[in-house]
Protein backbone atom coordinates (compact mmCIF):
# COMPACT_ATOMS: atom_id res chain seq x y z
CA UNK A 1 0.00 0.00 0.00
CA UNK A 2 1.30 3.45 -0.93
CA UNK A 3 -0.03 6.55 0.78
CA UNK A 4 -1.62 9.22 -1.38
CA UNK A 5 -3.16 11.33 1.40
CA UNK A 6 -2.99 10.90 5.16
CA UNK A 7 -4.25 12.71 8.27
CA UNK A 8 -2.94 16.21 8.75
CA UNK A 9 -3.53 19.93 8.28
CA UNK A 10 -4.34 20.98 4.69
CA UNK A 11 -3.09 24.51 5.32
CA UNK A 12 0.17 23.41 6.97
CA UNK A 13 0.88 19.74 6.16
CA UNK A 14 3.65 18.25 8.31
CA UNK A 15 4.63 16.00 5.40
CA UNK A 16 3.68 15.63 1.76
CA UNK A 17 0.05 14.57 1.43
CA UNK A 18 -0.80 14.95 5.15
CA UNK A 19 -3.96 16.96 4.49
CA UNK A 20 -6.96 14.84 5.50
CA UNK A 21 -9.10 16.07 8.38
CA UNK A 22 -12.14 13.78 8.22
CA UNK A 23 -11.03 10.69 6.28
CA UNK A 24 -8.41 8.34 7.72
CA UNK A 25 -6.41 7.68 4.56
CA UNK A 26 -6.38 7.38 0.80
CA UNK A 27 -3.96 4.82 -0.65
CA UNK A 28 -2.93 2.95 -3.78
CA UNK A 29 -2.79 -0.79 -3.15
CA UNK A 30 -1.55 -3.73 -5.21
CA UNK A 31 -1.78 -7.48 -4.83
CA UNK A 32 0.60 -9.80 -6.70
CA UNK A 33 -0.78 -12.52 -9.01
CA UNK A 34 -2.17 -15.62 -7.31
CA UNK A 35 -1.84 -14.16 -3.82
CA UNK A 36 -4.33 -13.25 -1.11
CA UNK A 37 -4.50 -10.86 1.81
CA UNK A 38 -4.66 -12.21 5.34
CA UNK A 39 -8.15 -12.19 6.90
CA UNK A 40 -8.74 -8.74 8.38
CA UNK A 41 -11.45 -7.01 10.37
CA UNK A 42 -11.94 -3.24 10.49
CA UNK A 43 -12.66 -1.71 13.89
CA UNK A 44 -14.30 1.71 14.04
CA UNK A 45 -13.65 2.22 10.36
CA UNK A 46 -14.59 0.91 6.94
CA UNK A 47 -12.97 0.88 3.51
CA UNK A 48 -14.02 1.50 -0.07
CA UNK A 49 -12.00 -0.30 -2.77
CA UNK A 50 -12.05 0.80 -6.42
CA UNK A 51 -10.32 -1.65 -8.77
CA UNK A 52 -8.03 -0.30 -11.50
CA UNK A 53 -6.38 -3.37 -13.04
CA UNK A 54 -6.40 -7.13 -12.71
CA UNK A 55 -9.02 -9.62 -11.58
CA UNK A 56 -9.76 -11.21 -8.25
CA UNK A 57 -12.32 -11.81 -5.54
CA UNK A 58 -13.51 -10.11 -2.38
CA UNK A 59 -14.82 -12.43 0.32
CA UNK A 60 -16.65 -11.42 3.49
CA UNK A 61 -19.42 -12.80 5.68
CA UNK A 62 -19.75 -15.99 3.68
CA UNK A 63 -20.07 -14.14 0.37
CA UNK A 64 -17.58 -13.93 -2.49
CA UNK A 65 -17.72 -11.42 -5.35
CA UNK A 66 -15.68 -11.11 -8.53
CA UNK A 67 -13.71 -7.87 -8.75
CA UNK A 68 -12.17 -6.31 -11.87
CA UNK A 69 -11.61 -2.82 -13.31
CA UNK A 70 -14.27 -0.27 -12.31
CA UNK A 71 -15.77 -2.48 -9.61
CA UNK A 72 -16.11 -0.89 -6.17
CA UNK A 73 -16.51 -2.63 -2.82
CA UNK A 74 -17.78 -0.97 0.35
CA UNK A 75 -16.39 -3.12 3.18
CA UNK A 76 -18.10 -2.44 6.51
CA UNK A 77 -16.38 -2.67 9.87
CA UNK A 78 -16.39 -5.76 12.07
CA UNK A 79 -16.75 -8.10 9.09
CA UNK A 80 -13.79 -10.41 8.44
CA UNK A 81 -12.72 -10.21 4.81
CA UNK A 82 -10.00 -11.18 2.34
CA UNK A 83 -9.02 -10.01 -1.12
CA UNK A 84 -7.52 -12.44 -3.62
CA UNK A 85 -5.78 -11.93 -6.95
CA UNK A 86 -6.99 -14.79 -9.12
CA UNK A 87 -5.20 -13.69 -12.28
CA UNK A 88 -1.73 -13.49 -13.74
CA UNK A 89 -1.39 -9.69 -13.62
CA UNK A 90 -1.22 -7.17 -10.81
CA UNK A 91 -4.48 -6.43 -9.00
CA UNK A 92 -4.38 -2.68 -8.33
CA UNK A 93 -6.93 -0.50 -6.58
CA UNK A 94 -7.54 2.73 -4.70
CA UNK A 95 -8.51 2.35 -1.05
CA UNK A 96 -10.45 5.02 0.83
CA UNK A 97 -10.66 4.50 4.59
CA UNK A 98 -13.20 6.44 6.61
CA UNK A 99 -13.96 6.41 10.34
CA UNK A 100 -17.41 5.27 11.44
CA UNK A 101 -19.07 7.64 13.93
CA UNK A 102 -20.55 6.53 17.24
CA UNK A 103 -24.05 5.17 16.77
CA UNK A 104 -23.58 4.59 13.04
CA UNK A 105 -25.52 1.66 11.58
CA UNK A 106 -23.07 -0.11 9.32
CA UNK A 107 -24.02 -2.45 6.51
CA UNK A 108 -24.41 -6.11 7.44
CA UNK A 109 -22.66 -7.24 4.25
CA UNK A 110 -20.11 -5.89 1.80
CA UNK A 111 -21.71 -3.84 -0.95
CA UNK A 112 -20.31 -4.42 -4.45
CA UNK A 113 -21.04 -2.01 -7.31
CA UNK A 114 -19.99 -2.50 -10.94
CA UNK A 115 -19.49 1.00 -12.33
CA UNK A 116 -19.52 -0.48 -15.83
CA UNK A 117 -23.24 -1.26 -15.37
CA UNK A 118 -24.37 1.72 -13.28
CA UNK A 119 -26.60 4.16 -15.18
CA UNK A 120 -25.62 7.81 -15.45
CA UNK A 121 -26.94 9.74 -12.46
CA UNK A 122 -26.59 13.21 -13.99
CA UNK A 123 -24.94 14.80 -17.01
CA UNK A 124 -25.13 18.53 -16.28
CA UNK A 125 -23.70 18.99 -12.80
CA UNK A 126 -21.34 21.98 -12.71
CA UNK A 127 -22.16 22.46 -16.41
CA UNK A 128 -20.73 19.24 -17.80
CA UNK A 129 -20.06 16.52 -15.18
CA UNK A 130 -21.28 13.09 -16.31
CA UNK A 131 -21.78 11.36 -12.97
CA UNK A 132 -22.18 7.76 -11.92
CA UNK A 133 -22.94 7.32 -8.23
CA UNK A 134 -21.14 4.47 -6.50
CA UNK A 135 -22.08 5.15 -2.88
CA UNK A 136 -23.87 7.75 -0.77
CA UNK A 137 -24.71 8.06 2.91
CA UNK A 138 -27.87 6.04 2.29
CA UNK A 139 -25.77 3.19 0.87
CA UNK A 140 -23.74 2.91 4.05
CA UNK A 141 -21.06 5.61 4.02
CA UNK A 142 -20.25 6.72 7.54
CA UNK A 143 -18.24 9.94 7.21
CA UNK A 144 -18.16 10.51 3.47
CA UNK A 145 -21.30 11.62 1.67
CA UNK A 146 -20.47 10.57 -1.89
CA UNK A 147 -18.16 8.31 -3.89
CA UNK A 148 -18.61 8.87 -7.63
CA UNK A 149 -17.03 8.63 -11.03
CA UNK A 150 -17.13 11.82 -13.09
CA UNK A 151 -16.53 11.92 -16.85
CA UNK A 152 -15.98 14.95 -19.06
CA UNK A 153 -16.68 14.89 -22.79
CA UNK A 154 -14.12 16.35 -25.23
CA UNK A 155 -13.66 20.13 -25.09
CA UNK A 156 -15.77 20.62 -21.98
CA UNK A 157 -15.08 22.17 -18.60
CA UNK A 158 -16.66 21.80 -15.20
CA UNK A 159 -17.95 25.05 -13.75
CA UNK A 160 -15.20 26.69 -11.66
CA UNK A 161 -16.62 27.18 -8.19
CA UNK A 162 -15.81 28.15 -4.64
CA UNK A 163 -17.05 26.35 -1.56
CA UNK A 164 -18.40 28.81 1.00
CA UNK A 165 -17.39 26.82 4.10
CA UNK A 166 -14.36 24.92 5.34
CA UNK A 167 -16.05 21.68 6.43
CA UNK A 168 -15.52 20.10 3.05
CA UNK A 169 -13.11 17.30 2.16
CA UNK A 170 -12.96 16.21 -1.46
CA UNK A 171 -10.45 14.51 -3.74
CA UNK A 172 -10.31 14.17 -7.54
CA UNK A 173 -8.21 11.34 -9.04
CA UNK A 174 -7.68 10.87 -12.77
CA UNK A 175 -8.64 7.39 -13.97
CA UNK A 176 -7.98 7.82 -17.68
CA UNK A 177 -7.17 10.58 -20.13
CA UNK A 178 -4.98 13.65 -19.70
CA UNK A 179 -6.83 16.72 -18.44
CA UNK A 180 -6.16 20.07 -16.79
CA UNK A 181 -6.81 20.60 -13.11
CA UNK A 182 -7.87 24.19 -12.49
CA UNK A 183 -7.00 25.10 -8.88
CA UNK A 184 -6.88 28.74 -7.81
CA UNK A 185 -5.04 30.68 -10.49
CA UNK A 186 -3.10 27.67 -11.79
CA UNK A 187 -3.59 24.96 -14.36
CA UNK A 188 -1.88 21.63 -13.73
CA UNK A 189 -1.70 18.77 -16.21
CA UNK A 190 -3.40 15.74 -14.64
CA UNK A 191 -2.61 12.28 -15.97
CA UNK A 192 -4.00 8.90 -14.80
CA UNK A 193 -2.96 8.23 -11.21
CA UNK A 194 -2.66 11.91 -10.31
CA UNK A 195 -5.08 13.47 -7.85
CA UNK A 196 -5.75 16.82 -6.25
CA UNK A 197 -7.19 17.72 -2.88
CA UNK A 198 -9.62 20.63 -2.89
CA UNK A 199 -8.14 23.36 -0.66
CA UNK A 200 -10.79 24.10 2.04
CA UNK A 201 -10.01 27.81 2.50
CA UNK A 202 -13.26 29.37 1.18
CA UNK A 203 -11.37 31.25 -1.53
CA UNK A 204 -9.71 28.80 -3.93
CA UNK A 205 -11.87 27.94 -6.97
CA UNK A 206 -11.38 24.61 -8.63
CA UNK A 207 -12.56 22.67 -11.65
CA UNK A 208 -11.52 20.17 -14.33
CA UNK A 209 -10.94 20.87 -18.01
CA UNK A 210 -10.94 18.33 -20.84
CA UNK A 211 -8.87 20.01 -23.53
CA UNK A 212 -8.86 16.93 -25.76
CA UNK A 213 -10.76 17.16 -29.03
CA UNK A 214 -11.63 13.48 -29.42
CA UNK A 215 -11.42 11.71 -26.05
CA UNK A 216 -13.22 11.68 -22.73
CA UNK A 217 -11.48 11.97 -19.37
CA UNK A 218 -12.66 10.28 -16.20
CA UNK A 219 -12.13 10.77 -12.46
CA UNK A 220 -12.75 8.94 -9.20
CA UNK A 221 -14.22 11.44 -6.75
CA UNK A 222 -15.09 11.28 -3.08
CA UNK A 223 -16.36 14.00 -0.78
CA UNK A 224 -17.61 14.96 2.64
CA UNK A 225 -19.45 18.28 2.59
CA UNK A 226 -20.89 19.22 6.00
CA UNK A 227 -21.38 17.75 9.44
CA UNK A 228 -24.32 15.45 8.86
CA UNK A 229 -26.52 12.96 10.62
CA UNK A 230 -25.25 9.43 10.22
CA UNK A 231 -27.46 6.44 9.46
CA UNK A 232 -28.80 4.91 12.66
Amino acid sequence: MRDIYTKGDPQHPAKKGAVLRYINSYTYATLEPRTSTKPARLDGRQQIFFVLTGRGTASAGGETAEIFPNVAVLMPGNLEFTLQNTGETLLAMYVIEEPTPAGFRRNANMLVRDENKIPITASDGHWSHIVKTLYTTQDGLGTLEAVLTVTLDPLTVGKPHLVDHDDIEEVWTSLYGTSLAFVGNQLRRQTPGMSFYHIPDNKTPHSNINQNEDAQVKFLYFGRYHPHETRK
Side-chain angles (χ1 to χ4, degrees):
M1 298 186 76
R2 299 180 183 180
D3 289 337
I4 302 173
Y5 299 119
T6 58
K7 282 283 193 179
D9 180 349
Q11 305 298 341
H12 307 284
K15 63 178 182 177
K16 189 174 182 179
V19 295
L20 299 175
R21 296 174 298 161
Y22 302 106
I23 308 306
N24 290 342
S25 62
Y26 182 44
T27 58
Y28 173 77
T30 58
L31 192 59
E32 294 292 330
R34 301 297 175 180
T35 62
S36 175
T37 63
K38 293 180 180 179
R41 191 184 299 267
L42 305 170
D43 183 19
R45 56 201 171 101
Q46 56 187 23
Q47 293 178 334
I48 301 99
F49 305 96
F50 186 84
V51 179
L52 301 170
T53 64
R55 299 189 69 90
T57 59
S59 300
E63 298 179 338
T64 297
E66 298 288 330
I67 56 175
F68 43 86
N70 297 323
V71 167
V73 181
L74 171 56
M75 191 65 69
N78 296 329
L79 191 67
E80 187 174 275
F81 71 95
T82 58
L83 301 176
Q84 183 176 9
N85 184 341
T86 58
E88 301 299 335
T89 59
L90 203 65
L91 179 63
M93 65 196 78
Y94 290 121
V95 184
I96 309 162
E97 182 176 294
E98 62 166 6
T100 50
F104 167 68
R105 177 171 60 85
R106 63 182 180 271
N107 290 346
N109 305 100
M110 64 177 176
L111 180 57
V112 181
R113 294 273 168 85
D114 183 352
E115 193 266 357
N116 303 294
K117 297 179 179 179
I118 292 176
I120 292 172
T121 307
S123 59
D124 58 357
H126 292 299
W127 291 347
S128 57
H129 289 177
I130 303 170
V131 175
K132 288 189 175 184
T133 302
L134 293 171
Y135 303 112
T136 65
T137 304
Q138 291 72 29
D139 295 311
L141 296 178
T143 300
L144 289 168
E145 293 174 79
V147 180
L148 320 166
T149 62
V150 179
T151 300
L152 290 178
D153 278 334
L155 295 176
T156 61
V157 57
K159 180 181 179 181
H161 59 285
L162 290 166
V163 178
D164 61 358
H165 59 86
D166 61 5
D167 292 323
I168 195 165
E169 183 132 283
E170 66 174 55
V171 171
W172 291 84
T173 304
S174 174
L175 293 175
Y176 67 70
T178 297
S179 60
L180 296 175
F182 169 32
V183 182
N185 63 355
Q186 298 183 355
L187 294 176
R188 296 292 181 90
R189 193 173 305 280
Q190 190 171 5
T191 56
M194 293 180 65
S195 68
F196 73 84
Y197 176 90
H198 165 61
I199 302 169
D201 62 358
N202 304 333
K203 60 184 181 182
T204 303
H206 70 287
S207 184
N208 301 285
I209 301 170
N210 183 0
Q211 78 284 3
N212 300 287
E213 295 187 6
D214 56 2
Q216 290 182 324
V217 295
K218 184 177 178 181
F219 306 88
L220 176 65
Y221 166 91
F222 61 87
R224 181 264 194 199
Y225 309 120
H226 292 282
H228 58 282
E229 184 175 352
T230 58
R231 193 180 67 176
K232 297 184 170 122

